């Protein structure tokens, strides 16, 4: 028999196609990995879900119809990082089409953390690089004030997750934060007010 939590997990999979054990643990099991692993396995044993292991992290991924690429799973890991810290996602919009479809970030995200509302444009550089040409498109987007109207007068933080320390872009108009593909420095650069730095 499906529980309310099972229905929420299936809703997540309906919206985003898959979920990892770690993602489900952070979002639906109060960071309890074992509880998440056990319940997802039960759902698979009852033919509600299917699973596979991701190449990127060798992590078990559950889905119903469509396997996700590692790039897409890394994108969803951002949700996990917010919930792990006690935050809550308000909006997670995949690949919004901006500037007449000239720019498509991996996601636009609004989330609440410690009573603060954050706005993020996420770029996951797993198979490509967010280069200076794309960043110039973000500058154009800033000048059009599309997001300022939506985000209470501010422009979203551009968060770029990548595996190396190649050339970084700095803007005078908006914040650009670089992190690795596991989002391991978010406490230092995004949630800094909650640390001892």
């Amino acid at each position: 028999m499906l529980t309310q939590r099972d229905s929420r997990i299936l809703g997540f999979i309906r919206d985003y196609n898959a979920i990892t054990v770690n993602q489900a643990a952070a979002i639906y099991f109060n960071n309890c990995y074992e509880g998440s692993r056990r319940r997802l396995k039960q759902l698979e044993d009852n033919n509600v879900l299917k699973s596979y292991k991701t190449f990127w992290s060798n992590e078990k991924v559950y889905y119903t119809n469509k396997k996700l690429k590692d790039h897409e799973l890394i994108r969803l890991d951002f949700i996990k990082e917010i919930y792990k810290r006690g935050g809550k996602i308000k909006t997670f919009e995949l690949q919004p089409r901006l500037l007449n479809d000239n720019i498509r970030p991996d996601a636009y995200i609004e989330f609440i953390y410690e009573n603060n509302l954050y706005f993020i444009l996420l770029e996951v550089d797993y198979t490509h690089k967010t280069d200076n040409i794309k960043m110039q498109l973000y500058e154009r987007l800033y000048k059009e004030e599309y997001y300022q109207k939506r985000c209470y007068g501010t422009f979203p933080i551009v968060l770029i997750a990548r595996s190396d320390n190649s050339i970084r872009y700095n803007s005078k108009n908006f914040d650009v934060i670089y992190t690795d593909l596991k989002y391991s420095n978010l406490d230092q650069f995004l949630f800094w007010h909650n640390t001892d730095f």
Side-chain angles (χ1 to χ4, degrees):
M1 182 167 168
L2 292 179
T3 66
Q4 285 186 343
R5 178 165 58 192
D6 294 338
S7 296
R8 291 194 300 270
I9 291 168
L10 292 172
F12 184 97
I13 293 171
R14 183 185 60 246
D15 292 341
Y16 304 115
N17 294 312
I19 195 166
T20 67
V21 175
N22 280 315
Q23 289 165 359
I27 300 167
Y28 301 109
F29 291 87
N30 294 319
N31 292 313
C32 177
Y33 179 88
E34 189 54 33
S36 172
R37 184 200 65 74
R38 193 169 41 246
R39 186 57 184 159
L40 290 172
K41 178 75 169 90
Q42 289 171 344
L43 291 172
E44 180 180 28
D45 290 344
N46 288 308
N47 298 315
V48 176
L49 296 175
K50 304 174 209 172
S51 73
Y52 66 98
K53 284 207 171 177
T54 173
F55 176 77
W56 155 247
S57 61
N58 200 33
E59 190 176 3
K60 199 138 192 199
V61 181
Y62 288 88
Y63 71 105
T64 53
N65 298 314
K66 180 187 172 196
K67 293 181 180 180
L68 289 185
K69 297 176 183 172
D70 290 337
H71 177 272
E72 296 166 308
L73 290 168
I74 295 166
R75 177 177 59 197
L76 292 180
D77 270 346
F78 188 79
I79 297 173
K80 172 190 75 176
E81 294 301 322
I82 299 308
Y83 278 91
K84 239 168 69 172
R85 289 164 173 82
K88 183 172 172 134
I89 299 287
K90 278 188 61 187
T91 301
F92 197 87
E93 183 183 338
L94 296 175
Q95 294 187 312
R97 297 171 181 264
L98 307 166
L99 291 177
N100 296 319
D101 210 18
N102 285 310
I103 185 169
R104 292 177 70 187
D106 286 302
Y108 166 72
I109 305 139
E110 296 177 6
F111 68 93
I112 297 169
Y113 174 73
E114 293 190 346
N115 296 319
N116 292 309
L117 180 58
Y118 290 80
F119 306 99
I120 301 287
L121 289 166
L122 177 64
E123 292 283 355
V124 176
D125 288 4
Y126 183 65
T127 56
H128 69 281
K129 290 281 186 267
T130 302
D131 57 19
N132 284 349
I133 293 169
K134 190 166 192 180
M135 294 308 295
Q136 289 304 314
L137 291 171
Y138 278 116
E139 295 286 356
R140 276 182 50 202
L141 185 63
Y142 171 85
K143 287 175 185 165
E144 285 196 359
E145 298 188 354
Y146 169 78
Y147 275 113
Q148 289 90 320
K149 293 170 187 163
R150 183 173 176 178
C151 302
Y152 305 101
T154 66
F155 189 81
I157 296 166
V158 177
L159 180 67
I160 301 172
R162 61 168 53 156
S163 61
D164 62 40
N165 288 323
S166 55
I167 296 173
R168 296 174 178 230
Y169 183 87
N170 290 311
S171 174
K172 294 178 181 175
N173 296 314
F174 51 86
D175 291 327
V176 182
I177 295 175
Y178 287 86
T179 184
D180 58 29
L181 293 171
K182 294 188 182 280
Y183 305 103
S184 62
N185 65 354
L186 291 186
D187 288 323
Q188 183 179 359
F189 292 109
L190 189 58
F191 305 120
W192 57 269
H193 64 280
N194 194 39
T195 65
D196 294 325
F197 292 102

